[in-house]
Amino acid sequence: MVKALDGVKILDFTHVQSGPTCTQLLAWFGADVIKVERPGAGDATRKQLVDVPGADSLYFTMLNHNKRSITIDTKNAKGKEILERLIKTCDVLVENFAPGALDRMGFTWERIQELNPRMIMASVKGFGPGKYEDCKVYENVAQCAGGSASTTGFLDGPPLVTGAQIGDSGTGLHLALGIVTALFQRETTGRGQKVLAPMQDGVLNLCRVKLRDQQRLKAGPLREYSQFGDGIAFGEATPRAGNDSGGGQPGRILKCKGWQTDPNAYTYFITQAAVWEKICDVIGEPGWKTREEYSTPAKRLPHLNAIFARIEDWTMTKTKYEVMDICNPLDIPVGPILSMKEIMEDEGLRATGTIVDVDHPERGTYVSVGCPIKMSDSPVEVKRSPLLGEHTEEILAQVLGYSGEEIKELKAAGATEPVKKAAAE
Ligand code: CAO
């Protein structure tokens, strides 16, 4: 079946996590993603957090499905020639090198435009233009600089980073949207353009509601925060809100049956206004329905701690799944705290292809996250990540039109393989 991005060629110059998540999505949508890696070494994640000696790590395999790998030494003169040909042939160049690395290789935006005016050049950087633009940045730096860490955690504890990779994978998503939008615009302009997704900006975009709260502080305390019910004064900046719900519908994480021994025996519970009466009935407090101080959402705000403590008395008598089974039919929004172990075994996620088993020649079968976006006319088949340089000859011959003799010369010149190895042969 034809895929949404069939015919689009991506020169994938990405490494580690942020860039690879972006190009993996494009590959799942049907683009031909050609991952360029350094001969003999490749993406550093191939050999990071290794669990099966000698095999590509899960870190690499889970971020690089459905791609082809070509090894090119881009600092070698012949290697640069290959790269030039790739730039002329591809639609999009995606990179997340440290600032200036591509320029140092000789591929400035001006040069790229000369080679291919239709080229879309898409970059992840830690910061946008300004004071910090030259910094190297990893996930947690972005979470801190983007406002996430200062607003995550409990009031009496330090700032916290979150397990969701909002700096890396989040920015990869932002970049993917920028790329397909630029491809769409190119349909009318015929021109490529530069697309930049700075990680700080991406994290801030995901923390938009916290900047909302920053401004609401001027109008008085944030009444939906537990802190308000606890009578603790607000400071100058949006505080850490623990597990409070970020929106107008108060919510908390509550203990469930077994919490003493199971670290994930918890549920999220939202006291949505529309189902308040049902909540009162379910937890055995029908009298709350006529209680004056609980009669409107606004009146309940100062009492949220007492309300949730009572709801927790009820949830502690049920497993997190029982809470879900009881509340779901009543439209009471709750969610079990699922461990990665439980998610890996989740039948529903497996049925939709969001959890998949993938075969790999070096590792055997492993579990991965499939494409989280479902398109009715562009189905996704998750294919294993490429071995280092697995497609070098195929790409040189089929995509770039090099002859067998020319490929041998490129190898001998150290353009596609480590020079030492070539000399030894
Ligand atoms: N052949 C030859 N050289 C190559 C090459 C190839 N195929 N591919 C890369 N290189 C070279 C680059 O040219 C660069 O060389 P110079 O520094 O001499 O110009 C060098 O490899 C290293 O690139 P780097 O600086 O990007 O890599 P690093 O490991 O030092 O830094 C990171 C990693 C992630 C901190 C940095 O790339 C970065 O800040 N990227 C932007 C932000 C980002 O994406 N962060 C998220 C990382 S986690 O997802």
Side-chain angles (χ1 to χ4, degrees):
M1 190 189 247
V2 174
K3 303 274 174 68
L5 294 182
D6 263 346
V8 175
K9 282 197 175 55
I10 311 280
L11 197 177
D12 180 8
F13 235 149
T14 68
H15 64 156
V16 200
Q17 186 183 161
S18 63
T21 57
C22 165
T23 51
Q24 177 168 261
L25 279 172
L26 301 175
W28 280 336
F29 294 149
D32 181 6
V33 175
I34 298 170
K35 183 167 174 112
V36 177
E37 297 183 82
R38 196 198 300 251
D43 188 325
T45 58
R46 283 187 186 268
K47 297 295 166 243
Q48 278 174 5
L49 311 177
V50 167
D51 58 327
V52 178
D56 283 332
S57 70
L58 287 167
Y59 196 3
F60 177 83
T61 53
M62 290 177 71
L63 290 164
N64 289 284
H65 294 109
N66 295 60
K67 303 180 184 178
R68 298 199 273 176
S69 166
I70 177 172
T71 46
I72 307 175
D73 181 351
T74 57
K75 291 186 174 165
N76 171 297
K78 289 276 175 202
K80 281 190 205 297
E81 272 177 39
I82 304 174
L83 199 57
E84 285 195 3
R85 282 215 208 180
L86 273 170
I87 291 172
K88 286 181 185 162
T89 309
C90 290
D91 300 278
V92 186
L93 184 161
V94 193
E95 63 95 20
N96 68 312
F97 288 127
L102 207 56
D103 291 358
R104 287 195 289 280
M105 259 181 224
F107 294 98
T108 59
W109 172 228
E110 291 69 31
R111 177 71 186 130
I112 288 168
Q113 277 175 300
E114 256 171 42
L115 292 168
N116 180 358
R118 286 175 59 81
M119 174 61 82
I120 291 158
M121 189 181 94
S123 305
V124 170
K125 294 289 167 260
F127 294 93
K131 205 158 98 181
Y132 300 122
E133 65 186 314
D134 291 332
C135 296
K136 289 192 174 187
V137 168
Y138 283 103
E139 171 70 45
N140 289 348
V141 176
Q143 288 197 23
C144 294
S148 175
S150 73
T151 53
T152 303
F154 286 89
L155 198 57
D156 56 358
L160 275 189
V161 293
T162 164
Q165 304 287 282
I166 56 177
D168 281 340
S169 292
T171 308
L173 269 168
H174 283 94
L175 191 70
L177 179 59
I179 290 169
V180 289
T181 306
L183 281 168
F184 190 69
Q185 190 175 10
R186 196 180 71 171
E187 290 297 302
T188 46
T189 63
R191 281 194 315 277
Q193 61 181 299
K194 263 207 289 194
V195 179
L196 172 66
M199 294 168 75
Q200 180 185 37
D201 307 40
V203 170
L204 175 58
N205 185 35
L206 299 175
C207 291
R208 184 171 289 264
V209 298
K210 299 296 177 180
L211 191 61
R212 173 201 66 195
D213 290 351
Q214 178 64 42
Q215 296 170 85
R216 288 174 58 227
L217 274 172
K218 268 197 228 140
L222 306 172
R223 299 169 67 89
E224 75 282 12
Y225 280 53
S226 310
Q227 177 176 347
F228 177 67
D230 290 336
I232 301 171
F234 283 77
E236 286 185 337
T238 307
R240 294 189 264 290
N243 291 317
D244 296 347
S245 158
Q249 306 291 347
R252 300 278 171 86
I253 286 185
L254 305 178
K255 291 170 185 158
C256 292
K257 196 191 244 175
W259 65 273
Q260 298 89 336
T261 51
D262 176 355
N264 295 306
Y266 289 83
T267 186
Y268 204 88
F269 197 107
I270 297 180
T271 54
Q272 195 200 7
V275 289
W276 172 248
E277 300 208 336
K278 290 180 187 172
I279 293 169
C280 300
D281 286 335
V282 151
I283 65 166
E285 292 288 353
W288 282 10
K289 290 190 277 188
T290 50
R291 204 158 148 179
E292 171 52 26
E293 67 266 39
Y294 290 177
S295 59
T296 66
K299 285 186 179 169
R300 290 196 285 274
L301 287 176
H303 307 292
L304 287 181
N305 289 344
I307 289 171
F308 279 112
R310 175 63 188 92
I311 298 174
E312 190 171 57
D313 285 344
W314 177 76
T315 56
M316 278 160 64
T317 66
K318 309 273 178 276
T319 69
K320 61 189 176 187
Y321 296 109
E322 286 167 349
V323 171
M324 186 78 174
D325 289 345
I326 294 168
C327 292
N328 197 27
L330 300 171
D331 285 337
I332 301 171
V334 294
I337 308 303
L338 295 182
S339 68
M340 278 298 148
K341 182 173 183 296
E342 287 166 318
I343 285 175
M344 216 165 109
E345 292 158 0
D346 189 289
E347 282 177 16
L349 290 171
R350 281 184 174 271
T352 59
T354 297
I355 292 287
V356 285
D357 288 327
V358 184
D359 286 326
H360 189 278
E362 290 173 339
R363 326 183 33 91
T365 304
Y366 66 94
V367 176
S368 196
V369 183
C371 184
I373 302 164
K374 316 294 180 188
M375 292 171 67
S376 62
D377 250 6
S378 188
V380 173
E381 184 200 345
V382 177
K383 295 189 188 148
R384 72 165 172 85
S385 58
L387 303 177
L388 179 60
E390 184 176 348
H391 306 98
T392 301
E393 292 194 10
E394 177 183 303
I395 292 164
L396 289 174
Q398 290 172 13
V399 180
L400 301 178
Y402 283 102
S403 68
E405 202 52 42
E406 286 172 320
I407 293 173
K408 271 190 205 152
E409 283 169 21
L410 290 171
K411 277 190 194 174
T416 58
E417 286 181 8
V419 183
K420 267 188 206 154
K421 194 178 167 197
E425 276 171 0

